[in-house]
């Protein structure tokens, strides 16, 4: 299981994405960022995605 915490990229937010692959995490983050942070899809840049990827961590739970 991979996990990513939204607050790890600087948002005041309790959202955690969970998935088996980086792609799953990224698509959850994209949906979350547009829905809950009012971001536009074009604001989810490759740079932001690589920041997210660098903060994804493995979890056994
Ligand atoms: Zn968030």
């Amino acid at each position: 299981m991979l996990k990513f915490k939204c607050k790890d990229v600087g948002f005041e937010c309790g959202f955690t994405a969970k998935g088996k692959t980086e792609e799953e995490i990224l698509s959850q983050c994209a949906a979350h960022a547009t829905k809950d942070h009012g971001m536009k899809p074009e604001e989810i840049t490759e740079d932001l995605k690589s920041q997210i990827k660098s903060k994804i961590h493995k979890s056994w739970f």
Side-chain angles (χ1 to χ4, degrees):
M1 177 80 83
L2 299 172
K3 282 191 184 178
F4 165 78
K5 292 195 182 89
C6 194
K7 69 176 163 62
D8 287 344
V9 289
F11 288 106
E12 288 287 326
C13 178
F15 175 77
T16 304
K18 296 171 201 164
K20 290 195 186 83
T21 63
E22 285 189 338
E23 285 69 31
E24 275 182 49
I25 303 275
L26 284 172
S27 68
Q28 285 175 39
C29 288
H32 167 70
T34 51
K35 183 171 167 280
D36 295 327
H37 294 295
M39 287 178 75
K40 298 188 181 87
E42 62 265 30
E43 289 180 288
I44 300 161
T45 57
E46 289 305 312
D47 190 57
L48 181 57
K49 285 182 194 170
S50 63
Q51 274 190 52
I52 291 169
K53 280 186 188 172
S54 74
K55 302 289 186 188
I56 292 173
H57 58 93
K58 284 204 174 100
S59 168
W60 300 109
F61 303 105

